[in-house]
């Protein structure tokens, strides 16, 4: 039997916003760094795309539907 009214831990919206900004701009920095390290260029570039996408996804996902 599950309790649907159980409290879930959520970060405050400001903290989620800061985390998403750090991830997004950190991913962009990884994209730029990839061109300076030719041995691991593909790995760093892929990581940059993933990290910046994660930051953008967090920012978009934190929006709540109207009425909730």
């Amino acid at each position: 039997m599950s309790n649907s009214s159980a409290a879930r831990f959520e970060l405050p919206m400001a903290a989620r916003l800061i985390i998403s900004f750090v991830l997004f701009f950190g991913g962009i920095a990884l994209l730029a760094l990839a061109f300076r390290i030719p041995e691991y260029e593909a790995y760093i570039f892929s990581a940059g795309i993933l990290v910046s996408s994660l930051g953008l996804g967090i920012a978009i996902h934190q929006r709540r539907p109207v009425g909730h």
Side-chain angles (χ1 to χ4, degrees):
M1 184 179 267
S2 67
N3 187 2
S4 62
S5 64
R8 282 185 2 194
F9 173 74
E10 287 190 18
L11 288 172
M13 188 174 288
R16 287 183 288 184
L17 182 67
I18 291 169
I19 290 170
S20 66
F21 270 122
V22 168
L23 286 173
F24 182 73
F25 289 116
I28 291 175
L30 281 174
L31 291 174
L33 180 68
F35 294 104
R36 295 183 180 255
I37 305 173
E39 297 86 23
Y40 300 106
E41 181 177 12
Y43 298 119
I44 296 172
F45 191 82
S46 299
I49 290 174
L50 291 174
V51 170
S52 60
S53 297
L54 180 65
L56 188 61
I58 290 172
I60 291 172
H61 185 70
Q62 78 178 359
R63 293 190 60 205
R64 295 196 174 120
V66 176
H68 288 140

